[in-house]
């Protein structure tokens, strides 16, 4: 077995699972990842520009051609394929019983078989896993964690009405709130904790020809409002107040101020 290539594939799997934590993942019965011999496309073509070149496309097709041979082998053995990838990982995903793992490992060009795992995102576990309580204790308690600090969230916006961002004990510092230049109405998306609300989506969505913006413009919500939820989630990880409900959670720096810089509509 080519150990170096196996270690590369294993490293790729590790990167993909790096955000997961023990205790939050479960093995999925009868679901496996077949790691294949050729490095994935991104291993040979590192940048986004390189990934779009003819050379990268030719290599991608080469991988897919070699995968096709394995897919035919799997079909001949009545092993169900649930998917395949080539970009970050060169792998085929299958549904098979545990007693067929050795058979899968023996297929030419398969350099490893790994059980698939199901992960559950759990923000209410994150601060404990990062040992935040010890840091809070050193500061005199969570009520001081992040005090006076300003954290910029460059993302899809922040929902300033979310319970995680309500803190009557905070007062916006002098000079705040700061809002989108020329759009004072965006200050409606601030509060005592979210002290910046700036949207750059106008620049991103605008057409290239001011005389005919409909030609290639992208209709969007130009306000700092979070229509996606991603920015709100990231802001919660960073600086959510303690929220108590069916699940209790807080961010790493619950007393920090937040700046909403919306760059994704």
């Amino acid at each position: 077995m080519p150990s170096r290539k196996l270690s590369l594939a294993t490293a790729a799997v590790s990167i993909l699972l790096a955000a997961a934590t023990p205790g939050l993942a479960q093995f999925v019965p009868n679901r496996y990842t077949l790691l294949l011999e050729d490095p994935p496309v991104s291993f040979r073509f590192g940048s986004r520009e390189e990934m779009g070149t003819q050379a990268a496309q030719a290599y991608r097709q080469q991988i897919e051609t070699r995968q096709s041979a394995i897919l035919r082998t799997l079909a001949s053995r009545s092993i169900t394929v649930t998917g395949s990838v080539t970009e970050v990982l060169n792998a085929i995903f299958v549904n098979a019983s545990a007693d067929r793992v050795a058979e899968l490992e023996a297929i030419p060009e398969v350099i490893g078989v790994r059980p698939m795992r199901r992960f559950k995102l759990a923000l209410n576990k994150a601060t404990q896993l990062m040992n935040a309580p010890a840091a809070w204790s050193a500061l005199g308690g969570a009520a001081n964690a992040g005090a006076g600090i300003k954290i910029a969230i460059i993302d899809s916006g922040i929902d300033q009405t979310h319970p995680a961002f309500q803190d009557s004990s905070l007062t916006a510092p002098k000079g705040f709130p700061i809002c989108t230049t020329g759009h004072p109405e965006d200050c409606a998306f601030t509060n005592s904790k979210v002290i910046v609300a700036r949207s750059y989506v106008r620049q991103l969505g605008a057409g290239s020809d001011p005389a005919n913006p409909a030609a290639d413009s992208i209709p969007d919500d130009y306000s700092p409002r979070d229509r996606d939820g991603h920015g709100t989630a990231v802001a919660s990880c960073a600086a959510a107040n303690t929220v108590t409900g069916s699940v209790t959670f807080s961010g790493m720096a619950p007393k920090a101020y937040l700046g909403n810089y919306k760059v994704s509509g």
Side-chain angles (χ1 to χ4, degrees):
M1 179 180 295
S3 58
R4 180 176 179 273
K5 291 184 178 179
L6 178 57
S7 66
L8 291 173
T10 303
V13 173
S14 299
I15 292 171
L16 291 173
L17 302 182
T21 51
L24 301 181
Q26 295 178 328
F27 288 110
V28 183
N30 301 329
R31 298 291 294 273
Y32 294 93
T33 298
L34 309 187
L35 303 174
L36 307 182
E37 188 173 35
D38 291 328
V41 179
S42 61
F43 184 78
R44 291 193 176 181
F45 303 90
S47 69
R48 177 174 296 184
E49 290 75 17
E50 290 175 328
M51 291 280 282
T53 61
Q54 290 184 349
Q57 180 58 25
Y59 182 62
R60 188 177 292 109
Q61 291 175 348
Q62 174 185 315
I63 292 177
E64 291 173 350
T65 298
R66 299 185 73 169
Q67 284 189 356
S68 295
I70 300 172
L71 292 173
R72 289 193 293 271
T73 298
L74 294 169
S76 70
R77 302 183 187 187
S78 300
I79 295 174
T80 301
V81 174
T82 61
S84 62
V85 290
T86 62
E87 304 297 282
V88 179
L89 193 68
N90 180 13
I92 294 173
F93 310 113
V94 301
N95 190 338
S97 57
D99 59 4
R100 303 193 71 176
V101 169
E103 177 186 353
L104 294 171
E105 291 176 332
I107 295 175
E109 297 191 36
V110 172
I111 59 173
V113 177
R114 300 289 182 268
M116 297 183 70
R117 293 190 285 178
R118 181 179 292 114
F119 295 91
K120 180 180 179 181
L121 301 178
L123 183 57
N124 62 315
K125 304 291 187 181
T127 50
Q128 285 76 21
L129 290 169
M130 295 298 291
N131 206 20
W136 295 340
S137 178
L139 295 170
N144 295 320
I149 300 298
K150 305 178 186 71
I151 301 175
I153 306 297
I154 305 172
D155 210 297
S156 64
I158 296 176
D159 177 6
Q160 86 285 355
T161 69
H162 193 285
F165 310 126
Q166 311 308 310
D167 191 340
S168 59
S169 71
L170 293 176
T171 301
K174 184 178 180 180
F176 291 87
I178 295 175
C179 307
T180 310
T181 302
H183 293 275
E185 69 274 13
D186 285 357
C187 285
F189 295 91
T190 64
N191 59 21
S192 61
K193 184 175 181 69
V194 182
I195 58 174
V196 176
R198 306 196 70 166
S199 172
Y200 298 90
V201 179
R202 288 176 181 83
Q203 293 93 312
L204 301 173
S208 58
D209 182 1
N212 184 20
D216 58 357
S217 64
I218 304 173
D220 213 327
D221 180 354
Y222 293 158
S223 78
R225 184 193 309 273
D226 185 6
R227 295 283 188 178
D228 176 83
H230 190 276
T232 297
V234 171
S236 296
C237 294
N241 298 319
T242 300
V243 178
T244 302
S246 57
V247 173
T248 299
F249 70 91
S250 78
M252 290 295 290
K255 282 299 178 180
Y257 294 110
L258 287 164
N260 173 7
Y261 297 84
K262 181 177 175 179
V263 297
S264 172

